[in-house]
Amino acid sequence: MTLLVSEETDAYGKVIPLSEQNIQLFRSLSKEMQVQLIVQRYPWKRALEKAYQGEGMIFGISPTAERRSKLEFSQVVFTERVHLVTRCQSGFRYETLQDLKSKRIGVVRGTSYGEAVDQQMGKLFQVEQDTSRLSGRMTKLLQGRMDGFFHYSYLHPTALESSLNHYYFSEIQGQPSQSGKLFCVQPKAISSVDIHFAIRNDINQGRLPKLDAALIKLKQSEAFQKMFSQ
């Protein structure tokens, strides 16, 4: 079974390997389902288009009305939070969506951040269309080309903030970790979004029930709970 997964690249355009959590998830499901999952990675928008065309099952997707009209969804695999990343020196404070009024916010093309947030794009706040390359998004933010960007993670905001600053200094700048920080993660999440597998309705052919049964069994294990602990 072809499994379509988002492709992300580093500051040099090199594809970032799949996370260990996802590798273990796919291996466990493949074993439980007795099906070989062949991972194919593409930029998110292209992966989504391929899923719409029936070229495989997609992973890492959240439901929207449009997507539900074209795809059938598995049960929830895990829940991720959408965080707002800002420049620390900007003094930006987020509490409600109204705080984004007239701001310019970076979003990855083709990505949903929860329907309530999606509905405000281009209305309450302006949108800066990004690729999924994190280094490019961070550079644009520092250059003041946007006021913040949305970022998916199941990490706590403090841990995510530390991770982003370390990544910027060590991977992008090639410098030792700095004591200061450039990027701040707002304490309050923008939204919480359930993550699923999904496949085009007419080619499902019993695949999702089999996947759901494997997920139910896997989610009862201690190993799974450690993989995606909040």
Side-chain angles (χ1 to χ4, degrees), residues 112-128:
S112 170
Y113 296 96
E115 290 192 272
V117 178
D118 295 347
Q119 290 169 3
Q120 297 301 326
M121 291 185 184
K123 298 176 182 177
L124 178 66
F125 59 91
Q126 301 174 57
V127 169
E128 176 69 24

Side-chain angles (χ1 to χ4, degrees), residues 201-219:
N201 309 58
D202 60 339
I203 65 166
N204 184 1
Q205 299 177 345
R207 291 182 171 94
L208 280 185
K210 192 173 184 179
L211 175 69
D212 281 342
L215 272 173
I216 289 171
K217 186 172 182 179
L218 181 60
K219 288 167 76 172

Side-chain angles (χ1 to χ4, degrees), residues 83-102:
H83 295 281
L84 178 63
V85 182
T86 58
R87 297 184 304 277
C88 294
Q89 66 179 18
S90 70
F92 194 112
R93 292 292 180 269
Y94 172 82
E95 290 293 336
T96 71
L97 281 179
Q98 286 300 314
D99 293 328
L100 301 182
K101 187 175 182 179
S102 302

Side-chain angles (χ1 to χ4, degrees), residues 146-159:
M146 53 190 179
D147 299 293
F149 63 79
F150 293 154
H151 185 74
Y152 269 104
S153 179
Y154 51 82
L155 292 175
H156 185 277
T158 302

